[in-house]
Amino acid sequence: MLSNLYPEVPLEEKQRLFDQVKADARFEDYLYGCYECGICVAACPSARFYDFSPRKIAQTLAREDIEMFYEQMNDDIWNCSQCFSCVRCPRHNNPGGLITIMREVAVTNGLRSTKEALAGYTRIIYKIMTTGTQVSPDMLQEDAFPDWGPQVKEVASHLDLWRRALPPETLHTTGLSWQVEERTMLELYTIWKLTGVLDMISELDEGLHDIMEEVMDDALEDQGFTIA
Amino acid sequence: MNRISLPMAPRGTTPETGRTFSPDPDNAPEEDLREAIAQLGREGEWIVQPVPEPYYEARTKYGRIKKIPFEKTWHHKSCGQCGHIPGYSTSIFWLNRFLGYDYFDPRDQTSCTAWNYYASATSNQVAQAAVAMRNFSAAYETGYYPLIHCGTSFGHYKEVRHELVHNHDLRRKVRDVITKLGRPFVMPEELVHYSEWMYAIRDQLKSRVVVDLSDITATVHPACHYYKLQSGDAIYDPEIYGGQRTAAVTAVVQDLGAHVADYSTWYDCCGFGFRHILVQRDFTRSFATMRKIEVMKEEANPDVVLTHDTGCVTSLDKSQFATQAHGRNVGVPVMSESQFAALAVGAHPFRVAQLHWHSTDYRPLLAKMGIDVEGAWAEFQEDLSKIEKGAMDYLTWDAVL
Ligand code: SF4
Ligand code: SF4
């Protein structure tokens, strides 16, 4: 059945996004057709809790069903858990990997549904891209993790002291997972800039992009770190 | 959700079929990537960092030999472990010291950034490979060999390695970035996960166990990114699950003297979801408890759940609190096998295993292991008070070995 959920978006636009997915170097390594056997669905955690199917993803891409592809780009891909249980596919497909590519294209093109899916997530992007570590001890706050119980409050209230009671010398940190050398961070900023990742962020969240660019440029300049 | 009742019996680690998978490396369905890596090294595409001697020879899925270094390891830490469950990494370091091994805990290391990549896709193939190769280069320059703590870092780096071997254009782009950083372009001979190192040292640990674990039943959650990504490069052993599942974690726990019980949803993931654990935890909580913890409780009733990845410990541990409030069948401590092994050979539950960072109640387990929980907590409180009063700045390694 043809998808008609997004009639207002021209077919050419949907095709353009599909072509970007297909042009990814990993695409042909991740898709070899599909038996419709459903083995991937049986293994998929997200299929148990959402209206979601890795089989449909593989089928849609193999058939080049552009309308369904666009629907999945908006309504399905962010449900995937990226666990890669689906790689037990007898056809050697990697539906989870296909979804990674689709997500990258969704971010690069700033799809509205992607912005919504990642709305609460931007502070994490900031953390990883500017410090090189993704989650830090000081993120353990009661209001951020109310469902994790009173133990989170316990950690938060003793954080500095408990971190100092860790024998590894690199772990006496609260704003970073471990002590990262300045040069290491500058090298990471250089990687984000040289590989276009920082530019990707501007499609997703311009404000976040501007803040990060400033942080990175200032740090690189202060240290006389030039990108050749 | 109504769960179907499966006719499962606690059956240790022998699959009911009794079939043993006998792999033949000469007829493996996948190429041996290491040959291509060595060839690219000979062609001058990159420097191949050799596994330092002495090393352990373990078997992977298709019977190939994988070299696991005992020492001279460069610890590629995990942001989730170090940030939220630091007893995990502390126990790995402590075990190195306990065995007298030389290791290096670097500051010139970033996270693999794969948690973010699998959560938000705000990166790309070149960037991810450049992050990996920068870290490998940093390890090489110290003379120590990368030992990767996180299952996701390990799996992601295996993916990156595969892409770099097969995609010349990608290799060229990444080499350009690394060269601009003034770094050598280095690929390690093997990618090694810390749980493989645990497998390699299991005999040494076995001879030094001081806690009687014969009454302890554990269930093992094998981490998806450890053995599903680039599946040929994971440790398998005919003596463990008949060689049909990875031997990581299970072989170590059995050798320490605990009983490993089976459960039907062993292949399921933990529900982490990368994005979900941070911003859509209803999914994580439901999956972690309904598909994993409750099934384990019903079929195996374990004293502890053991696993070998950052995300798995986090989801399986933290998800139980809210579920318990609904009166469901949960309530079992969760930790890494490195923490469990450290406890088994005499590590302190708070100074080393740092169990106070975990949500689930570990006290009944410690009591069953014969560990004086209250006494240990009182000792740790004394440490804290010394730090608070300025009598010591930090808890040092000298104080915990
Ligand atoms: S990677 Fe995604 S599609 Fe594949 S099994 Fe996991 S949740 Fe399902
Ligand atoms: S397991 Fe593979 S072949 Fe079977 S339905 Fe899924 S993608 Fe198609």
Side-chain angles (χ1 to χ4, degrees):
Chain A
M1 195 174 71
L2 272 182
S3 164
N4 60 358
L5 285 185
Y6 296 93
E8 72 285 3
V9 179
L11 186 63
E12 296 71 36
E13 173 61 5
K14 297 170 182 171
Q15 182 74 47
R16 187 182 70 80
L17 297 177
F18 181 83
D19 291 345
Q20 283 187 15
V21 168
K22 208 176 162 188
D24 189 284
R26 293 163 289 185
F27 186 87
E28 59 177 29
D29 206 28
Y30 288 173
L31 183 64
Y32 298 92
C34 173
Y35 298 140
E36 291 223 60
C37 65
I39 286 173
C40 55
V41 185
C44 174
S46 295
R48 279 184 195 276
F49 283 88
Y50 300 111
D51 181 7
F52 172 81
S53 160
R55 178 189 62 80
K56 279 174 70 180
I57 300 279
Q59 278 284 315
T60 300
L61 294 175
R63 290 180 184 164
E64 308 206 353
D65 180 340
I66 305 302
E67 297 286 357
M68 183 59 84
F69 160 78
Y70 190 77
E71 184 182 319
Q72 291 174 346
M73 286 282 279
N74 285 281
D75 302 342
D76 287 339
I77 55 174
W78 297 103
N79 288 334
C80 168
S81 307
Q82 294 282 279
C83 64
F84 301 97
S85 299
C86 48
V87 295
R88 71 192 310 181
C89 164
R91 199 78 184 81
H92 298 294
N93 293 334
N94 180 351
L98 292 167
I99 290 166
T100 313
I101 300 172
M102 290 165 79
R103 285 178 171 189
E104 250 185 71
V105 170
V107 170
T108 312
N109 287 277
L111 261 56
R112 190 167 49 83
S113 53
T114 293
K115 291 179 181 172
E116 284 165 11
L118 297 179
Y121 188 80
T122 46
R123 71 194 179 103
I124 315 279
I125 297 175
Y126 179 82
K127 190 71 151 185
I128 184 74
M129 289 188 65
T130 59
T131 73
T133 65
Q134 162 131 4
V135 291
S136 53
D138 62 6
M139 279 182 179
L140 284 170
Q141 297 294 336
E142 208 186 358
D143 55 347
F145 298 98
D147 53 324
W148 284 3
Q151 185 266 348
V152 173
K153 191 174 171 186
E154 187 72 9
V155 171
S157 59
H158 298 105
L159 192 66
D160 187 52
L161 188 59
W162 283 15
R163 293 300 287 184
R164 289 163 69 189
L166 287 167
E169 298 83 359
T170 51
L171 301 189
H172 302 145
T173 50
T174 52
L176 286 166
S177 305
W178 62 82
Q179 291 165 5
V180 181
E181 271 173 21
E182 189 164 28
R183 175 184 165 201
T184 310
M185 287 197 208
L186 297 177
E187 289 186 352
L188 188 69
Y189 299 169
T190 308
I191 290 174
W192 300 142
K193 288 176 86 82
L194 287 174
T195 56
V197 173
L198 197 58
D199 294 340
M200 261 177 112
I201 305 294
S202 65
E203 288 299 329
L204 183 71
D205 185 331
E206 220 177 319
L208 175 69
H209 166 268
D210 293 349
I211 293 170
M212 290 205 298
E213 185 165 55
E214 200 179 322
V215 167
M216 292 180 191
D217 285 349
D218 286 354
L220 289 166
E221 201 184 308
D222 280 357
Q223 296 305 313
F225 216 81
T226 49
I227 300 171
Chain B
M1 189 175 79
N2 288 327
R3 206 171 38 248
I4 302 165
S5 194
L6 291 166
M8 294 291 297
R11 57 188 188 199
T13 59
T14 309
E16 227 158 44
T17 61
R19 276 189 351 204
T20 295
F21 175 54
S22 307
D24 174 5
D26 293 331
N27 285 305
E30 293 166 10
E31 64 183 328
D32 189 346
L33 210 57
R34 294 163 310 176
E35 286 168 12
I37 288 166
Q39 181 58 31
L40 287 166
R42 285 189 289 274
E43 289 169 12
E45 287 274 327
W46 49 32
I47 299 164
V48 180
Q49 182 178 12
V51 174
E53 294 184 15
Y55 50 77
Y56 181 89
E57 295 188 334
R59 296 260 171 198
T60 54
K61 187 172 184 180
Y62 302 118
R64 291 177 178 136
I65 301 279
K66 179 168 186 176
K67 298 177 190 170
I68 313 293
F70 286 113
E71 57 181 323
K72 295 290 279 181
T73 45
W74 186 90
H75 286 250
H76 183 290
K77 297 179 288 302
S78 146
C79 44
Q81 281 170 32
C82 294
H84 292 181
I85 35 174
Y88 195 140
S89 2
T90 303
S91 296
I92 300 172
F93 292 132
W94 185 86
L95 286 167
N96 272 274
R97 288 174 177 263
F98 178 73
L99 296 173
Y101 287 153
D102 180 18
Y103 72 91
F104 188 71
D105 173 11
R107 290 178 172 81
D108 182 12
Q109 185 224 322
T110 68
S111 135
C112 63
T113 73
W115 182 346
N116 177 58
Y117 185 53
Y118 292 131
S120 72
T122 49
S123 186
N124 58 45
Q125 214 188 357
V126 182
Q128 290 306 107
V131 167
M133 295 303 270
R134 199 215 67 84
N135 278 329
F136 294 158
S137 166
Y140 175 77
E141 291 188 316
T142 63
Y144 287 77
Y145 195 87
L147 185 73
I148 301 164
H149 285 194
C150 180
T152 285
S153 303
F154 174 70
H156 187 60
Y157 284 172
K158 286 197 291 180
E159 292 277 286
V160 163
R161 175 178 67 171
H162 185 265
E163 291 162 15
L164 282 167
V165 165
H166 288 279
N167 186 335
H168 172 78
D169 188 43
L170 176 69
R171 212 162 54 236
R172 186 183 51 73
K173 285 181 182 154
V174 177
R175 194 178 40 224
D176 282 354
V177 174
I178 300 298
T179 306
K180 279 190 178 128
L181 299 178
R183 298 267 192 183
F185 197 52
V186 182
M187 179 60 78
E189 179 187 3
E190 302 271 13
L191 293 181
V192 186
H193 186 238
Y194 90 87
S195 68
E196 300 177 330
W197 177 79
M198 294 289 302
Y199 179 82
I201 61 164
R202 68 195 189 288
D203 283 346
Q204 296 174 60
L205 294 178
K206 184 180 179 175
S207 63
R208 298 181 70 171
V209 169
V210 294
V211 171
D212 179 11
L213 298 175
S214 55
D215 278 345
I216 304 296
T217 299
T219 43
V220 168
H221 167 65
C224 296
H225 287 189
Y226 170 71
Y227 76 105
K228 291 173 184 169
L229 287 168
Q230 299 294 319
S231 61
D233 190 359
I235 303 286
Y236 284 69
D237 181 334
E239 288 181 15
I240 306 295
Y241 305 114
Q244 301 196 36
R245 300 183 206 166
T246 180
V249 184
T250 300
V252 178
V253 176
Q254 285 198 152
D255 269 358
L256 292 171
H259 172 66
V260 177
D262 204 1
Y263 62 101
S264 54
T265 54
W266 67 271
Y267 186 83
D268 272 347
C269 86
C270 65
F272 187 69
F274 298 88
R275 190 179 73 86
H276 299 77
I277 187 81
L278 291 165
V279 293
Q280 215 162 6
R281 271 197 308 286
D282 52 343
F283 166 79
T284 299
R285 282 195 305 272
S286 303
F287 201 86
T289 53
M290 293 163 84
R291 286 292 294 185
K292 298 297 287 195
I293 299 293
E294 281 194 322
V295 179
M296 291 174 187
K297 289 278 280 183
E298 199 165 297
E299 296 176 2
N301 195 24
D303 298 300
V304 62
V305 177
L306 298 172
T307 184
H308 54 152
D309 173 65
T310 314
C312 312
V313 172
T314 305
S315 328
L316 296 173
D317 178 49
K318 307 290 186 197
S319 298
Q320 293 186 46
F321 175 78
T323 316
Q324 208 150 21
H326 291 279
R328 301 195 63 115
N329 185 18
V330 295
V332 56
V334 183
M335 64 185 77
S336 68
E337 96 283 37
S338 63
Q339 288 167 293
F340 186 71
L343 291 170
V345 296
H348 197 283
F350 303 109
R351 289 168 172 166
V352 176
Q354 298 273 332
L355 290 174
H356 47 291
W357 293 80
H358 296 234
S359 273
T360 42
D361 188 5
Y362 45 81
R363 286 161 200 267
L365 169 74
L366 295 184
K368 202 168 173 183
M369 289 166 81
I371 295 170
D372 173 11
V373 191
E374 297 312 322
W377 184 245
E379 286 168 358
F380 186 63
Q381 290 305 308
E382 259 179 54
D383 297 338
L384 294 180
S385 128
K386 279 187 199 159
I387 296 172
E388 259 185 323
K389 287 185 188 137
M392 62 179 181
D393 288 339
Y394 303 105
L395 187 59
T396 61
W397 282 119
D398 290 341
V400 300
L401 262 176

